[in-house]
Amino acid sequence: MATSIIQGFTKSLAMTVLSEIGDKTFFAAAIMAMRHPRRLVLSGCLSALIVMTILSALVGWAAPNLISRKWTHHVTTLLFLGFGLWSLWDAFNDGGESEELAEVEARLDADLKANKKGSKDGNKVDDDDVKKQNRSFLLQFLSPIYLKAFSITFFGEWGDKSQLATIGLAADEDPVGVVLGGILGQALCTTAAVLGGRSLASQISEKIVALSGGLLFIVFGIQSFLSTVEP
């Protein structure tokens, strides 16, 4: 039992870190942290990622109870191999992290302008942030900044490669270990993005991360292919 949890934990941690570094949600967290209080951005992004990880693990855990474990095992193997080849393809054919960073920044800029439209004072958002410092801790979680960070991260991850990989991993490994490893990996990546800001995001080599992630997925796929299916 303990061995299966540790195995699920280590696999999930490694997969999450290599999948999330340089991801769109990573860039979004870094850019939002430069414009809004880091505490709210970090809590909003982390809340969304924790919810997404738990939901994905639950789907993966339920799959073998609804479908034959043999079939879920084969699907998981194909997912890992497919994601590995996908990541390697991205590494050699993607336009680079600068384009993705620019795309996310442009989207957030448009969002910020839309929020400021019709405002008499361009600094209204900053004034509201200052006023929120005097509010209770729980009320801050209802702030527009927290909700924006949560929604951007949650819907940005929905259907993403990392979410589908988490579902597949939870179907093949201990879901508790997968959840713990995924949450720790998400926390490390998001904290680095929020604290490091754009300077960290712009210095990351997305090609190296994609190569590493692709190789890791392929190793998981080969291991899954060679492992026996428990009845």
Side-chain angles (χ1 to χ4, degrees):
M1 180 67 177
T3 303
S4 62
I5 292 178
I6 294 174
Q7 183 170 312
F9 174 84
T10 53
K11 281 188 174 183
S12 181
L13 177 61
M15 179 198 71
T16 302
V17 170
L18 289 176
S19 296
E20 291 303 318
I21 291 182
D23 189 67
K24 285 186 178 181
T25 52
F26 181 90
F27 290 135
I31 295 171
M32 282 191 292
M34 293 187 297
R35 302 173 177 176
H36 305 294
R38 292 178 177 178
R39 180 184 66 259
L40 294 178
V41 174
L42 179 61
S43 59
C45 293
L46 271 183
S47 298
L49 292 170
I50 289 173
V51 171
M52 181 64 70
T53 301
I54 293 175
L55 288 177
S56 301
L58 284 175
V59 173
W61 170 78
N65 298 317
L66 300 174
I67 310 172
S68 167
R69 179 168 289 276
K70 179 180 179 180
W71 281 106
T72 57
H73 179 79
H74 292 331
V75 170
T76 300
T77 301
L78 291 175
L79 276 176
F80 284 144
L81 293 175
F83 287 151
L85 295 175
W86 182 3
S87 295
L88 293 178
W89 173 267
D90 285 344
F92 290 108
N93 296 277
D94 197 25
E97 65 273 11
S98 58
E99 289 185 9
E100 190 158 9
L101 179 60
E103 178 186 345
V104 174
E105 190 166 19
R107 187 178 304 174
L108 290 175
D109 281 337
D111 211 15
L112 186 61
K113 289 178 181 178
N115 290 335
K116 285 186 175 181
K117 188 176 181 180
S119 175
K120 295 180 180 179
D121 185 2
N123 295 321
K124 184 176 184 297
V125 175
D126 294 331
D127 293 340
D128 288 343
D129 292 341
V130 174
K131 292 178 182 178
K132 286 183 177 68
Q133 300 298 323
N134 298 322
R135 297 184 182 180
S136 67
F137 179 75
L138 291 177
L139 285 178
Q140 291 188 27
F141 284 97
L142 299 177
S143 72
I145 297 172
Y146 172 86
L147 296 176
K148 177 181 178 181
F150 183 95
S151 59
I152 287 177
T153 304
F154 186 86
F155 292 109
E157 285 294 311
W158 189 265
D160 190 64
K161 180 169 53 180
S162 58
Q163 186 207 13
L164 298 178
T166 300
I167 293 174
L169 194 60
D172 219 32
E173 301 289 345
D174 188 284
V176 175
V178 173
V179 168
L180 295 176
I183 290 176
L184 178 59
Q186 301 283 14
L188 291 174
C189 293
T190 307
T191 302
V194 169
L195 296 180
R198 179 175 180 175
S199 60
L200 176 62
S202 61
Q203 291 173 12
I204 291 174
S205 173
E206 190 175 348
K207 183 174 183 178
I208 293 177
V209 173
L211 282 172
S212 302
L215 292 175
L216 183 68
F217 276 126
I218 289 176
V219 168
F220 285 172
I222 294 174
Q223 183 187 35
S224 179
F225 176 77
L226 296 177
S227 63
T228 56
V229 184
E230 296 180 2

